[in-house]
Amino acid sequence: MPAASSMLGLMGRRRFLPYFLTQFFGAFNDNVLRQALILFITTSAVSRFSPNLLNNIALALFILPFFLFSGLAGQFADKFDKAKLVFWVKVSELVLMLLAAVGFYYQSLWGLMAVLFAMGFQSTCFGPIKYSIMPQHLGSQELVAGNALVQQGTYVAILLGSVMGVLLNASFAAPWWGSAALVFIAVSGLVSGYFVPSAPSQVPELKINWNPFTETIKVMRYAKQKRAVWIAVLSVSWFWFLGAAYTTQLKVYVDDYLHAGETVYALLLMVFSFGIGIGSWACKAVSRGRLTLSLVPLGALAITVFGVDLYFAYQGLLAVESATVAEFMAQKGVWRLLFDLLLIGVGGGFYVVPLFTYIQEATAETHRARVIAACNVLNALFMVLSALFSMVLLSALGITLPTYFLILALLSLVVSMYLLSRVPEFKIRRW
């Protein structure tokens, strides 16, 4: 196997490293901003509003651009040089972080909400570029490694950004620390984005359709033309449904069921993210750099098996109040719970890396960015459905959170196997 197709080999190449750093800093900054805004919302400065209401408004403002502008973003990514688009998207991020710094300084709630909406638009624009640029810079034997690294980097960035967002805006931090970090990270992303090699358009003659609604319908129809690609897109969106369901309820799980604090919450986030990273790396190692779709149902099976065991691990856990990680780890049964959470993440890595690689390889290069834009629309939709699903089960029906996780695990097997059974390429077989 050529050195370039290994993960370390790719990280040493200009055709991958600047792009990797750019997307890493983007995910990092998104989560620093998100945590800073959550802490701002829960302070006395905006106490006249319900924190739950403001958090829901913030989520809606961030997700709305994915519905409205993904079709437009996909067209731009197909029509123009993707490296130039990366640079200008990063310029816009720097401008927005400067505006966010002003918003935090003046404690302008609705100014920060406007910045969040604009960041959602910026993320919408970057999404189709993020995955459609890789096949132009990487060979077919390198795509699995590239996608594995991107998945690892994204979840590490989410973890570090979430932790840093809390620390930089904690009571002991100076008021300007968080804003300074947002601007510094944006500058770092802009510098790395400047060095992304050119990725010329495959369809420079493409005429832009400025109607976001008709274009969204159009890209959805194109994504559905090839059945296997459409199933892969739906399967990726189901992964986002599960990811949103687990991560949004994890803090409540720690507070109300494990009776622990912020450090244990950070530990569980780290274990889950580390599992995704291990799964992404193992996917590349097991497949030897080749696209191996039979890993996808194995990943789905792991998510279910260890999701079910997570329920029984909690039943055997005599949870007592713990103020530190050391106190939490001293409890009987904790290691089993952490192991299950780790292996759910590993299954997620096995599940999603081959799916992204297949979408990239199986889609015509002239429409690749627009198909990925369609995937982003569905991802956003499934995240909204995930929130509604949790509201119905947890609030309306009063189901406990451990039981909710059990239902997710069983439902995952049914949905994943139904989707994957419809395409012969995804069946489990020896390699």
Side-chain angles (χ1 to χ4, degrees):
M1 179 178 62
S5 64
S6 70
M7 291 186 173
L8 289 178
L10 281 180
M11 290 297 285
R13 301 299 181 98
R14 185 189 165 188
R15 56 195 171 89
F16 182 77
L17 180 59
Y19 154 78
F20 174 83
L21 292 175
T22 302
Q23 64 86 27
F24 177 88
F25 287 129
F28 194 7
N29 225 11
D30 280 349
N31 285 275
V32 173
L33 176 64
R34 184 174 63 86
Q35 290 298 333
L37 187 58
I38 288 173
L39 289 175
F40 177 75
I41 284 173
T42 56
T43 63
S44 58
V46 292
S47 60
R48 62 187 180 277
F49 299 103
S50 163
N52 286 334
L53 173 63
L54 291 177
N55 279 325
N56 286 329
I57 291 174
L59 178 62
L61 286 174
F62 187 79
I63 291 179
L64 185 59
F66 287 90
F67 290 107
L68 296 179
F69 305 116
S70 285
L72 186 62
Q75 291 179 87
F76 271 79
D78 275 333
K79 181 176 177 62
F80 300 106
D81 187 309
K82 296 177 183 62
K84 292 180 179 178
L85 291 175
V86 166
F87 177 77
W88 287 111
V89 165
K90 290 298 153 180
V91 169
S92 70
E93 180 180 326
L94 177 56
V95 173
L96 289 173
M97 291 307 99
L98 290 170
L99 292 174
V102 173
F104 281 118
Y105 179 80
Y106 286 104
Q107 296 195 339
S108 173
L109 172 63
W110 300 112
L112 288 169
M113 289 292 192
V115 170
L116 187 66
F117 177 81
M119 278 299 291
F121 176 71
Q122 187 257 8
S123 297
T124 301
C125 293
F126 187 67
I129 305 169
K130 178 177 178 178
Y131 287 105
S132 64
I133 196 174
M134 273 200 287
Q136 288 187 251
H137 289 158
L138 305 182
S140 58
Q141 292 295 310
E142 300 171 319
L143 273 179
V144 173
N147 278 292
L149 281 168
V150 167
Q151 292 302 316
Q152 285 177 311
T154 297
Y155 278 92
V156 169
I158 290 171
L159 172 64
L160 294 178
S162 297
V163 173
M164 183 174 285
V166 172
L167 295 178
L168 290 173
N169 296 277
S171 57
F172 59 79
W176 56 271
W177 285 8
S179 297
L182 290 172
V183 174
F184 177 77
I185 297 167
V187 169
S188 300
L190 178 59
V191 172
S192 61
Y194 177 79
F195 291 100
V196 173
S198 176
S201 168
Q202 307 298 319
V203 279
E205 72 282 359
L206 177 67
K207 182 178 291 187
I208 300 294
N209 175 11
W210 294 96
N211 187 319
F213 303 105
T214 58
E215 183 59 29
T216 298
I217 294 172
K218 186 177 178 181
V219 296
M220 288 292 181
R221 286 175 177 169
Y222 184 84
K224 293 178 70 173
Q225 285 183 5
K226 190 169 184 178
R227 185 179 185 182
V229 170
W230 180 244
I231 294 298
V233 167
L234 289 175
S235 300
V236 167
S237 296
W238 174 248
F239 174 79
W240 279 94
F241 180 102
L242 290 177
Y246 275 107
T247 56
T248 55
Q249 299 302 327
L250 202 56
K251 184 65 170 65
V252 178
Y253 187 64
V254 170
D255 290 344
D256 296 349
Y257 292 88
L258 301 183
H259 307 296
E262 296 288 341
T263 54
V264 173
Y265 171 56
L267 172 66
L268 265 60
L269 269 180
M270 182 172 64
V271 168
F272 184 73
S273 301
F274 190 53
I276 295 277
I278 293 176
S280 300
W281 174 85
C283 179
K284 188 269 173 188
V286 170
S287 64
R288 300 179 181 90
R290 301 190 307 270
L291 174 59
T292 309
L293 292 175
S294 55
L295 293 177
V296 178
L298 290 177
L301 188 62
I303 291 172
T304 292
V305 169
F306 294 102
V308 170
D309 196 66
L310 181 68
Y311 172 81
F312 291 105
Y314 173 76
Q315 303 307 313
L317 180 67
L318 186 60
V320 296
E321 189 168 343
S322 51
T324 66
V325 171
E327 291 175 356
F328 176 71
M329 297 296 292
Q331 297 180 50
K332 183 180 179 181
V334 162
W335 283 99
R336 179 182 176 185
L337 186 144
L338 292 177
F339 182 76
D340 286 333
L341 198 59
L342 177 74
L343 269 294
I344 291 171
V346 171
F350 266 77
Y351 183 83
V352 77
V353 169
L355 287 171
F356 269 123
T357 306
Y358 179 74
I359 293 170
Q360 291 165 333
E361 286 195 352
T363 305
E365 59 185 14
T366 55
H367 288 74
R368 186 178 289 132
R370 279 169 284 176
V371 169
I372 293 172
C375 185
N376 288 341
V377 173
L378 286 175
N379 290 346
L381 175 61
F382 273 59
M383 289 173 68
V384 172
L385 292 176
S386 176
L388 295 175
F389 183 73
S390 67
M391 288 170 59
V392 171
L393 266 65
L394 297 173
S395 299
L397 300 181
I399 290 174
T400 65
L401 204 45
T403 303
Y404 173 70
F405 286 157
L406 175 64
I407 292 172
L408 279 179
L410 296 174
L411 186 61
S412 176
L413 183 66
V414 174
V415 173
S416 298
M417 292 308 174
Y418 170 74
L419 289 172
L420 300 177
S421 67
R422 297 174 66 84
V423 182
E425 290 96 320
F426 290 101
K427 292 182 179 178
I428 297 177
R429 53 181 175 273
R430 299 182 64 179
W431 57 86

